Amino acid sequence: SDRDWLAGAFASITETIDDVRPSEWAEANRYLPSSVTPLPGHYSYDVAPYLREIVDCMDPRSPVRQVSVMKGAQIGATVGVLENTIGFCMAHVRSAPIMLLTADAELAKLRMESYVVPMIQQSGHNCWPNRNGSPLDQKRNSVFQKHLDNPECRQNSARGLG
């Protein structure tokens, strides 16, 4: 019931704050299945060490407030920066919705179904779907929008959803 869930949520509150950076979260929790990468297994910034500093700038405790990246294609930035930031925020920030904006609805659907959902499932998040998977929660979830216990994860495209 909602009351039991709320009681459990309050019981799990601690006075400690995890002092973990997004890159540390990714290496400790992010698992890449063979369906999304030719290098399956736990994520490691050894593959793309130049992305570590960028993703750590996404930490709310970082003094950096704007990140601009000029990069080549297929260097691992989507997984190493964007998806790992989403996972980190789901695990540690929990205070705001997350939006990943893509060029169009087709790319949004591909990114969500093939990358973000497997990331959530493979990374140990216990928030999939909302609390107990009630029918209300299932109705709120779609290909483009995933309502999780906390926070809300939403994907959209620059051109809208059609």
Side-chain angles (χ1 to χ4, degrees), residues 22-30 42-46 52 84:
S23 61
E24 295 167 340
W25 175 88
E27 290 183 321
N29 296 283
R30 183 80 194 268
H42 291 286
Y43 187 85
S44 172
Y45 280 100
D46 291 343
R52 181 183 299 274
N84 286 343

Side-chain angles (χ1 to χ4, degrees), residues 102 104-113 144 155-157:
T102 62
D104 58 39
E106 185 176 313
L107 183 57
K109 180 179 179 182
L110 172 71
R111 183 60 48 194
M112 186 61 87
E113 289 180 345
F144 298 104
Q155 166 110 10
N156 206 335
S157 68

Side-chain angles (χ1 to χ4, degrees), residues 16-37:
T16 61
I17 297 174
D18 292 336
D19 187 21
V20 62
R21 293 175 177 213
S23 61
E24 295 167 340
W25 175 88
E27 290 183 321
N29 296 283
R30 183 80 194 268
Y31 182 83
L32 300 171
S34 59
S35 61
V36 302
T37 180

Side-chain angles (χ1 to χ4, degrees), residues 66-77:
Q66 182 173 337
V67 176
S68 299
V69 179
M70 183 182 294
K71 64 173 199 65
Q74 300 293 313
I75 65 161

Side-chain angles (χ1 to χ4, degrees), residues 41-63:
H42 291 286
Y43 187 85
S44 172
Y45 280 100
D46 291 343
V47 175
Y50 44 85
L51 296 177
R52 181 183 299 274
E53 183 177 359
I54 298 169
V55 76
D56 284 342
C57 288
M58 304 297 187
D59 189 330
R61 297 166 298 177
S62 169

Side-chain angles (χ1 to χ4, degrees), residues 42-138:
H42 291 286
Y43 187 85
S44 172
Y45 280 100
D46 291 343
V47 175
Y50 44 85
L51 296 177
R52 181 183 299 274
E53 183 177 359
I54 298 169
V55 76
D56 284 342
C57 288
M58 304 297 187
D59 189 330
R61 297 166 298 177
S62 169
V64 175
R65 292 293 165 246
Q66 182 173 337
V67 176
S68 299
V69 179
M70 183 182 294
K71 64 173 199 65
Q74 300 293 313
I75 65 161
T78 301
V79 171
V81 176
L82 297 179
E83 292 175 12
N84 286 343
T85 297
I86 290 171
F88 170 79
C89 288
M90 289 173 61
H92 293 282
V93 177
R94 302 182 184 196
S95 61
I98 303 164
M99 179 180 280
L100 177 60
L101 194 63
T102 62
D104 58 39
E106 185 176 313
L107 183 57
K109 180 179 179 182
L110 172 71
R111 183 60 48 194
M112 186 61 87
E113 289 180 345
S114 299
Y115 296 89
V116 176
V117 169
M119 177 202 54
I120 294 166
Q121 293 169 332
Q122 297 287 331
S123 297
H125 290 290
N126 60 357
C127 57
W128 187 268
N130 253 353
R131 281 181 258 179
N132 57 10
S134 70
L136 175 63
D137 300 329
Q138 293 300 321

